Amino acid sequence: MKKRTYTRLTTNQVTASYSYLREPDSGREFSDDKYKVTILIDKADEDGLAIIRNACAKAAADEWPEGAPANMRSPVRDGAEKSAELADYFLVTFKSKQQPKLFDATGAALDADINIFSGDKIRVAGAAGAYVAGANKGVTLYLNGVQLIEKRQDAEDDLFGAVDGGFVNPTSASEAAEAPVDGSNFNF
């Protein structure tokens, strides 16, 4: 049996979608007990997509020199197949059994209390490798590390954001600023 080869890659800056980087995805119906991150690549980012597709093509060519199987599975999914909101993106998932290394924008280790959430701007380092599992053949992306470039949202921050035209609390910001601080405005 020949030795399997892996093609290293590092993405351009992308958007994190789903991430399990501090603890593996476990305890749910479709959990696989792996660390992982799904990234969104804008369909207009041809260079970013080429990095992933080239690594996958090399991994497939190394495994199947005579040509990739017709039913080969790819780690690149069209966002339009998932929802209309994701129609402008490709979804790509990187996975690992080992916890990936996490870095800040300078390359320093990310503090343990900082988590990467959906919407954060990141780069992903990994490797493409072919697999054969019974009748299933394809290329997967292994997760080695993630670099946090821009923190977009924190779970402790504004969880919803403003909605134009939605309900507004009758106490406006100016009324709140004029309210007495001693609590005398309460009618209990």
Side-chain angles (χ1 to χ4, degrees):
M1 180 173 179
K2 74 176 188 172
K3 182 180 175 189
R4 183 153 286 139
T5 60
Y6 299 92
T7 304
R8 291 179 178 241
L9 69 122
T10 301
T11 68
N12 289 342
Q13 181 174 299
V14 295
T15 303
S17 183
Y18 303 101
S19 65
Y20 296 88
L21 299 171
R22 296 284 183 191
E23 293 184 16
D25 178 11
S26 61
R28 299 176 312 139
E29 183 179 356
F30 297 107
S31 296
D32 56 7
D33 294 320
K34 292 183 180 179
Y35 296 91
K36 57 187 160 185
V37 64
T38 298
I39 60 173
L40 303 178
I41 299 179
D42 192 300
K43 287 183 178 177
D45 182 5
E46 294 177 12
D47 293 336
L49 189 58
I51 291 169
I52 291 170
R53 286 205 165 140
N54 291 342
C56 290
K58 179 162 181 357
D62 289 348
E63 182 71 18
W64 301 288
E66 287 81 38
N71 62 344
M72 185 184 88
R73 295 183 181 192
S74 168
V76 179
R77 304 272 183 258
D78 188 339
E81 294 173 7
K82 186 146 177 99
S83 74
E85 295 169 335
L86 298 172
D88 294 334
Y89 300 96
F90 287 107
L91 284 73
V92 181
T93 300
F94 290 77
K95 297 180 179 185
S96 176
K97 291 180 183 176
Q98 286 80 38
Q99 185 173 15
K101 295 179 180 176
L102 305 177
F103 302 94
D104 68 12
T106 68
L110 203 59
D111 289 344
D113 63 338
I114 308 250
N115 291 307
I116 295 173
F117 294 111
S118 295
D120 290 344
K121 297 297 183 180
I122 62 173
R123 293 176 65 211
V124 180
Y131 67 88
V132 176
N136 297 320
K137 298 175 182 177
V139 174
T140 192
L141 295 172
Y142 296 97
L143 176 62
N144 294 333
V146 176
Q147 183 180 32
L148 179 59
I149 304 298
E150 183 179 340
K151 192 83 179 118
R152 294 296 193 114
Q153 178 178 329
D154 208 338
E156 304 299 321
D157 293 345
D158 180 12
L159 296 176
F160 298 103
V163 176
D164 292 335
F167 175 80
V168 177
N169 189 14
T171 307
S172 68
S174 62
E175 291 171 351
E178 294 171 6
V181 209
D182 63 3
S184 63
N185 62 333
F186 296 115
N187 296 321
F188 292 111

